[in-house]
Amino acid sequence: MAGITDFDSLRRAMAENSERPEGPARNARAEQLLVEAEKLGIPLAVIEALGHQLKVYNYSSEKDRMFVPFARLLRMWDERPEDFDEYETHSLHWVFKWMSSGMLDQPHVPLASIEKWLGEMEHRYRLAGHSERAVRSAEFSVAAHVGDIPRAERAYTAWLAADRDSMADCHACELHGQGWWQAERGRDAEALLLWRPVLEGEFTCAHEPHTVLASSLVPLLRLGRVDEARANHLRGFRLVRPMESMRGAYADHVEFCALTGNEARGLELLAERPAYFTDTGQPRSRLDFLSVVALLMDRLVEMGLADREVPGPAGRSWTARELATHARTEALALAARFDQRNGTTYVSERARARTAQSPLVERLPLGVRAVRPAPAGPVATPVTVSPEEERDLPALLTQARRLSDTLRPNAVEAWAAVARAAEGFELDVRDRAEIVDHEAMGRGPEGVELFERAAELYAEAGDPGEALAARTRAAYVRALTGRVDEAVAAVAEPYDEILALYADEATGLRQTASVLMGRARVLMRRVQELAETGAVNGEDGAVRGVPDETGAASSRAPSADGVLAEAERAVRELLALVGGYAGDDVRIAAREAEGLAMLAELALQGGDPEGAVELFTRASDGFVAAGLPWFAVEYEARLAGLSHHLGDIAGTERALRAALEHGGTQLEAVGRAQLHLQLAEVVGGRGLAVEAAEHSLEAAHWADEAGEGPTLGAWARHQLGGFLLRQGRFAEAAEVLESALPDLSVETHGDGAVVQAQWWLGDCLSELGEHREAAERRLMAAEIARHWPEQHDHATLAHLAAESLGAAGLPAEADQAYARAGELWRSLGNVHGLVRSLRARAWLALRADDGADAARELMSAAVGECERVLGAGEAEDEARERLLAELGHTHRQFGDLLARSAAEDADDDAIRAALEDALVQVGEAVAVFASLADEDALHSRTGAELAAGWLEADLGRPADAAARARAVLTAYDGAGTEDETVRDRRAEAAQLLQVTEEQAGG
């Protein structure tokens, strides 16, 4: 291209191309650069351009294009080895390994050619004086691929026994291959031990820990280490996502999703990489990918989603069933081509085994956003009835009565099964009454007429008490639909009649308690309505009358205090009837517990939260004692809210844990999500970030199950990201926060949540070295915070964005952001922030051409700001100490900056002047730190003292430099050796003394 005029410009262009994302565009640029290299007429330029082309092909989906440039390179080496410099000679031999694996990946390359190539590689390595380690590693790969297990084991042993030299793969890549073999042989624990140094970051390279994280997923699942598997998926997928060449590792992540109940996540992964279905440059990784696609599609078919539209090869739409067939056919065809080449059936056997896997974990929440492929199933355990049982109507009746008498959650379903089985049979009138009664219960607001019909049937069956109870249930349904006055009127007659029947012993305790409970519920609905209108329990805790249409308190409607009093009388009448019940009828025991909860509500409306806490606790205990713990959940949740309001954090935590424990499988998904989220906030507030993250994870999962992913789920993911960040799990936190942000909105979650999520994500990206992206997140957060009345967060975010911009190599943008942050710090009166922004700008200026003068001015301004505030004498003692420390650090940095500003090509006088100025500033730092008394100031002073000593030495004053070193040693007289800083300072002082002695002796 026009920009390539010489060898240097070619090298710059190749370096720039190496930094571009993997893919066809980078490959095409490499091909253009080779053409330009040939025009230069320099053999080494062509060699380097061919090497560059090989590299970009290898790290792309076009690996099959490596062979031609390598053949050309090898021919050039054989003809004129003197044209290769030391680096290119090394590179040529290094790429032999790529050719070996590349041939294995291509089923059209005969096995005999691969074996011949191994011999060629071994011969050339021996001639070059290299160890056989890389050769045995390549031999192992061939044997493992074709399924020659004895040869693979021999080559594996020889590989590890051979000496490591410059041709050996890096430690990370070798450990990946060794661990992969252990996992292949069923030794998962041994594989993970081998991978540990890579997973923990001890060994890394361009593709590690990417592939180790991916390879570890299934072994971890097989070992039951699901939390590690989840973490490795979130960490690892983030690494492989932008790398086109890593289709095999990408397939491992899709497989993980299929085996852990995360089919929706798996579909999202397929949608991100449509080219992976069709890219043919590396058939072996395509085989891996299509195998796990078939696995994932089979899972969807098994879930009843065979006709769901799914991402697939471009050009048409696909259902899960169609893609399953296509992917399996293509995968097995590819496997057959490999087997035909290899003369075995090993590849096909492995492909079939991979597609036939069963899930290893039924449900593994990941914390990231995903649309479920199917709606959540019912929470309650369904009643399953076999055809034989359908014909056994008496057994069904017995089961239904047992479930309803013990208040089991699926009693209504059991009665529905009875109704289905009873079609065409003549039933006893009592049986028909119960069927209709329970059908009404299942109808909710539409059950009034059915309850009335049930009452008629109960009366016909000779059970007037149960008939009154059914009528009372009808009245309560009216109250639930907002017809409270109608309900109050409707319950009056059953109430009077049941008391008369009970007095005459014409009905039982259960029926009487049912009517009294129904009446109490209706009256409590009236209390609730008044509370919603603000007529009771207002901000001042007063009880108000109910206003009429004119706004005046109505004399016709009951007063608020009258409503409260009537409801309380009804509840206490119920408790007088059932209180202390010692029988085995759980319904009656439940009435007492619910009555206590009603009293708690009334206490709350009356302004007695402490009394409400005590009553809710008794109610919850009553339900648990009755064997009905799931009924306690609602009141334990209320108890948690009240305890939090009263500042009883321990009580809040106890109540939330009890609610989750007692709810069990009966908890609805949304309720479970809310409880987990509240508990996460409570334990997170106690500093238990690990447990808080676990509860946030569960909250996100259950919110998604409930269809609340964009609302409650987004908040849970936001919290989860924060708790993961607090643990230093930056990659996982980033993945979760990026997943939360599309759903977090100012309208639903508040601008504070959006800013916090962007802020946290910026922190994660900064820790991960993704500085440009970190800056973008911090600037987005700053833009929202810019409109807040209090500007501290805005200033902090602007400052952090400036740090990220500087780290991203964008000095002009960083300077602008620091300047903005400085203005904000100044407006807030925050001298520390202002001084630090000035210092940062000074360092940025020093890196620019001719920026030394600007850097001095900015650092001088930072010193001046400290001195200005100190001179005003307005700071309190503690604030003054902090400001003096800031001044000391500023002088110290000023000295360092001046020392570095001395250009290497400047004359001796200029360099000496810069060092003298630096010594003045560092001396000022020593003096400031000496005026402070804390231990940190001592370490800061000795650090500055040593810096001054080195400057003295550079200026040719060994005696002064030695004095500085001795001052440091004196400062630490009597100090132990436990403090690392003390040890380092003493060692540096001794080194400085040695240098000064040599200077003096010279």
Side-chain angles (χ1 to χ4, degrees):
M1 296 186 65
I4 308 301
T5 58
D6 54 26
F7 202 171
D8 286 341
S9 60
L10 174 69
R11 283 173 165 165
R12 285 195 299 272
M14 290 190 296
E16 290 169 4
N17 196 42
S18 293
E19 296 302 315
R20 299 177 71 182
E22 294 178 354
R26 187 169 75 157
N27 296 353
R29 176 62 171 151
E31 292 160 10
Q32 293 170 344
L33 291 173
L34 176 59
V35 173
E36 295 299 320
E38 290 169 336
K39 294 177 182 177
L40 296 177
I42 303 172
L44 184 58
V46 176
I47 291 168
E48 290 189 12
L50 284 167
H52 175 65
Q53 195 177 79
L54 270 170
K55 180 178 179 181
V56 299
Y57 283 157
N58 185 58
Y59 293 116
S60 78
S61 61
E62 298 178 310
K63 290 178 182 284
D64 56 334
R65 302 180 68 180
M66 290 192 300
F67 302 111
V68 171
F70 182 73
R72 183 177 174 187
L73 263 179
L74 196 57
R75 186 172 63 253
M76 292 176 72
W77 167 262
D78 288 339
E79 293 173 354
R80 291 181 57 84
E82 65 272 17
D83 288 341
F84 289 69
D85 63 14
E86 182 180 357
Y87 179 81
E88 292 304 326
T89 300
H90 177 274
S91 297
L92 175 70
H93 286 81
W94 182 270
V95 174
F96 266 87
K97 299 182 296 182
W98 294 359
M99 294 303 105
S100 174
S101 62
M103 288 177 179
L104 275 180
D105 292 342
Q106 307 294 330
H108 69 274
V109 178
L111 189 61
S113 298
I114 296 173
E115 295 287 3
K116 181 180 178 182
W117 180 257
L118 272 177
E120 179 76 8
M121 179 180 175
E122 183 171 8
H123 172 67
R124 289 182 179 263
Y125 272 39
R126 189 180 301 114
L127 287 177
H130 295 307
S131 162
E132 66 171 14
R133 189 178 183 94
V135 177
R136 298 285 77 81
S137 173
E139 181 189 4
F140 160 77
S141 297
V142 173
H145 170 66
V146 302
D148 186 343
I149 305 303
R151 182 187 181 192
E153 291 284 13
R154 290 194 302 273
Y156 182 89
T157 301
W159 167 25
L160 269 61
D163 292 335
R164 278 188 58 83
D165 67 350
S166 62
M167 281 298 112
D169 283 342
C170 74
H171 282 289
C173 288
E174 283 207 330
L175 288 173
H176 173 249
Q178 293 161 19
W180 173 84
W181 182 241
Q182 297 302 322
E184 281 290 300
R185 304 302 296 152
R187 300 186 285 265
D188 292 333
E190 290 86 343
L192 288 159
L193 281 174
L194 283 165
W195 287 331
R196 181 187 293 170
V198 183
L199 293 172
E200 293 179 353
E202 182 180 346
F203 301 123
T204 61
C205 70
H207 278 188
E208 295 296 354
H210 314 44
T211 55
V212 164
L213 285 163
S215 296
S216 73
L217 297 174
V218 171
L220 284 168
L221 292 174
R222 288 194 294 244
L223 290 171
R225 292 158 61 175
V226 295
D227 291 337
E228 293 173 70
R230 177 198 299 115
N232 286 4
H233 169 63
L234 294 178
R235 285 176 59 202
F237 183 68
R238 183 174 189 82
L239 292 173
V240 304
R241 177 190 277 137
M243 302 183 74
E244 184 201 46
S245 63
M246 302 199 72
R247 178 163 56 182
Y250 202 99
D252 292 340
H253 287 280
V254 176
E255 178 182 42
F256 166 84
C257 293
L259 297 177
T260 58
N262 286 288
E263 295 82 7
R265 168 86 165 169
L267 292 176
E268 291 181 357
L269 268 57
L270 297 188
E272 285 191 31
R273 282 289 187 180
Y276 277 175
F277 288 97
T278 53
D279 283 344
T280 58
Q282 190 187 26
R284 187 152 56 150
S285 71
R286 184 165 180 257
L287 167 59
D288 290 336
F289 183 75
L290 290 171
S291 297
V292 300
V293 170
L295 170 67
L296 178 62
M297 294 306 112
D298 285 348
R299 289 288 305 130
L300 293 176
V301 172
E302 290 167 14
M303 295 166 67
L305 298 168
D307 296 323
R308 174 179 174 135
E309 188 170 333
V310 295
R316 55 160 289 187
S317 60
W318 295 87
T319 65
R321 180 189 291 108
E322 292 168 340
L323 186 57
T325 300
H326 170 79
R328 178 173 284 100
T329 301
E330 290 284 306
L332 292 178
L334 270 174
R337 288 177 59 201
F338 280 107
D339 283 340
Q340 185 178 14
R341 188 268 304 273
N342 299 339
T344 68
T345 59
Y346 187 68
V347 176
S348 294
E349 290 168 1
R350 292 183 71 247
R352 287 192 179 92
R354 194 169 195 184
T355 61
Q357 292 176 95
S358 298
L360 294 170
V361 181
E362 182 180 352
R363 177 187 71 87
L364 180 60
L366 303 178
V368 292
R369 172 176 177 259
V371 179
R372 297 189 73 254
V379 175
T381 304
V383 176
T384 56
V385 181
S386 68
E388 294 76 16
E389 290 173 321
E390 283 277 12
R391 293 190 290 271
D392 189 358
L393 188 55
L396 289 175
L397 277 166
T398 300
Q399 181 188 27
R401 287 198 175 105
R402 178 180 59 79
L403 293 173
S404 57
D405 285 346
T406 54
L407 297 177
R408 297 298 108 175
N410 48 3
V412 171
E413 290 185 357
W415 281 104
V418 171
R420 290 192 300 271
E423 292 179 5
F425 288 86
E426 186 66 32
L427 288 180
D428 179 273
V429 66
R430 172 70 188 209
D431 297 339
R432 287 188 283 127
E434 291 183 83
I435 290 173
V436 174
D437 198 8
H438 285 87
E439 183 182 353
M441 294 177 193
R443 291 284 187 90
E446 300 173 3
V448 173
E449 293 183 2
L450 284 172
F451 276 129
E452 298 287 3
R453 174 62 183 147
E456 294 171 1
L457 291 170
Y458 280 128
E460 185 181 341
D463 191 343
E466 203 60 59
L468 293 171
R471 288 173 59 193
T472 304
R473 287 192 280 275
Y476 181 51
V477 170
R478 292 187 179 94
L480 289 175
T481 57
R483 297 142 62 190
V484 178
D485 289 341
E486 183 182 335
V488 171
V491 82
E493 184 177 334
Y495 167 69
D496 291 337
E497 291 183 16
I498 198 73
L499 290 180
L501 286 172
Y502 187 65
D504 292 341
E505 299 183 352
T507 193
L509 178 61
R510 174 192 284 191
Q511 292 81 2
T512 306
S514 181
V515 173
L516 266 58
M517 173 56 75
R519 177 170 177 267
R521 286 173 175 169
V522 168
L523 294 173
M524 287 298 296
R525 285 296 301 174
R526 190 157 63 176
V527 171
Q528 192 172 349
E529 278 195 346
L530 294 177
E532 290 169 358
T533 63
V536 295
N537 198 24
E539 292 181 5
D540 56 2
V543 178
R544 299 177 173 83
V546 182
D548 63 15
E549 295 166 355
T550 66
S554 170
S555 59
R556 299 185 300 277
S559 65
D561 54 353
V563 168
L564 289 172
E566 186 178 11
E568 183 173 353
R569 285 195 298 272
V571 175
R572 292 197 181 280
E573 185 177 16
L574 167 69
L575 290 172
L577 177 70
V578 300
Y581 174 74
D584 56 3
D585 191 330
V586 297
R587 293 194 186 196
I588 298 174
R591 304 298 186 206
E592 180 177 13
E594 187 176 349
L596 291 169
M598 288 176 173
L599 286 184
E601 293 284 1
L602 292 168
L604 196 57
Q605 299 298 340
D608 181 13
E610 290 83 0
V613 166
E614 191 269 336
L615 287 163
F616 275 132
T617 302
R618 289 174 58 194
S620 174
D621 291 344
F623 279 121
V624 174
L628 305 168
W630 53 90
F631 281 107
V633 172
E634 175 185 352
Y635 307 114
E636 285 160 343
R638 294 295 308 279
L639 187 58
L642 270 176
S643 298
H644 189 271
H645 174 73
L646 294 171
D648 180 7
I649 303 303
T652 304
E653 186 176 337
R654 279 196 305 273
L656 290 170
R657 291 189 188 279
L660 282 169
E661 177 188 352
H662 293 146
T665 59
Q666 309 306 327
L667 261 179
E668 291 186 358
V670 68
R672 190 183 295 272
Q674 290 168 337
L675 291 170
H676 275 297
L677 188 53
Q678 292 174 56
L679 190 52
E681 292 172 351
V682 171
V683 299
R686 293 205 291 117
L688 304 177
V690 174
E691 185 182 356
E694 292 169 357
H695 288 295
S696 298
L697 180 66
E698 288 293 321
H701 168 75
W702 289 110
D704 290 342
E705 291 285 304
E708 295 289 338
T711 52
L712 187 61
W715 182 258
R717 278 182 266 282
H718 164 260
Q719 293 290 78
L720 174 59
F723 291 126
L724 290 171
L725 170 62
R726 197 185 298 182
Q727 297 173 59
R729 295 160 66 178
F730 304 116
E732 295 167 70
E735 195 73 10
V736 169
L737 290 167
E738 286 173 344
S739 174
L741 274 163
D743 290 326
L744 283 175
S745 68
V746 171
E747 296 75 20
T748 303
H749 304 93
D751 55 2
V754 178
V755 167
Q756 184 66 83
Q758 297 279 22
W759 192 330
W760 281 337
L761 181 52
D763 290 349
C764 293
L765 295 172
S766 178
E767 292 289 345
L768 294 170
E770 300 174 33
H771 299 296
R772 187 185 292 265
E773 295 80 3
E776 291 173 0
R777 295 297 182 174
R778 287 166 167 175
L779 288 170
M780 283 190 274
E783 178 58 26
I784 299 174
R786 181 170 67 88
H787 303 286
W788 292 354
E790 208 290 315
Q791 288 288 284
H792 185 273
D793 286 341
H794 181 200
T796 303
L797 285 162
H799 199 114
L800 290 171
E803 289 181 2
S804 294
L805 289 165
L810 300 168
E813 293 86 345
D815 181 73
Q816 185 178 1
Y818 274 127
R820 176 61 181 147
E823 293 170 4
L824 291 165
W825 292 129
R826 188 185 298 278
S827 69
L828 291 167
N830 188 322
V831 68
H832 296 278
L834 173 58
V835 166
R836 289 169 189 177
S837 67
L838 288 167
R839 292 198 311 239
R841 292 182 66 198
W843 285 109
L844 285 171
L846 184 64
R847 298 188 192 110
D849 293 338
D850 301 322
D853 290 341
R856 282 174 177 251
E857 290 177 11
L858 286 163
M859 202 65 85
S860 294
V863 171
E865 290 295 338
C866 291
E867 291 175 340
R868 176 181 60 80
V869 178
L870 285 166
E874 297 174 359
E876 300 290 336
D877 288 346
E878 185 176 345
R880 182 176 177 80
E881 291 282 305
R882 285 185 59 233
L883 194 53
L884 279 169
E886 196 75 74
L887 175 61
H889 289 300
T890 305
H891 277 303
R892 169 65 195 273
Q893 287 198 32
F894 200 172
D896 292 344
L897 181 142
L898 291 169
R900 295 184 195 181
S901 69
E904 291 183 4
D905 57 353
D907 58 57
D908 291 346
D909 289 342
I911 293 174
R912 188 172 188 84
L915 295 181
E916 290 283 8
D917 290 344
L919 183 58
V920 170
Q921 292 296 330
V922 177
E924 292 286 351
V926 171
V928 171
F929 289 132
S931 70
L932 301 172
D934 61 82
E935 184 177 3
D936 288 340
L938 172 61
H939 293 331
S940 298
R941 191 199 83 181
T942 55
E945 195 85 69
L946 287 167
W950 290 112
L951 287 168
E952 301 274 21
D954 289 342
L955 289 165
R957 302 169 189 162
D960 293 335
R964 299 275 189 185
R966 292 190 187 95
V968 171
L969 294 173
T970 301
Y972 290 120
D973 274 349
T977 58
E978 299 81 11
D979 190 319
E980 184 178 354
T981 304
V982 174
R983 295 198 302 272
D984 291 346
R985 293 284 191 272
R986 283 173 168 162
E988 188 178 353
Q991 183 184 6
L992 179 56
L993 280 174
Q994 183 179 351
V995 169
T996 58
E997 288 171 1
E998 292 171 357
Q999 282 184 331

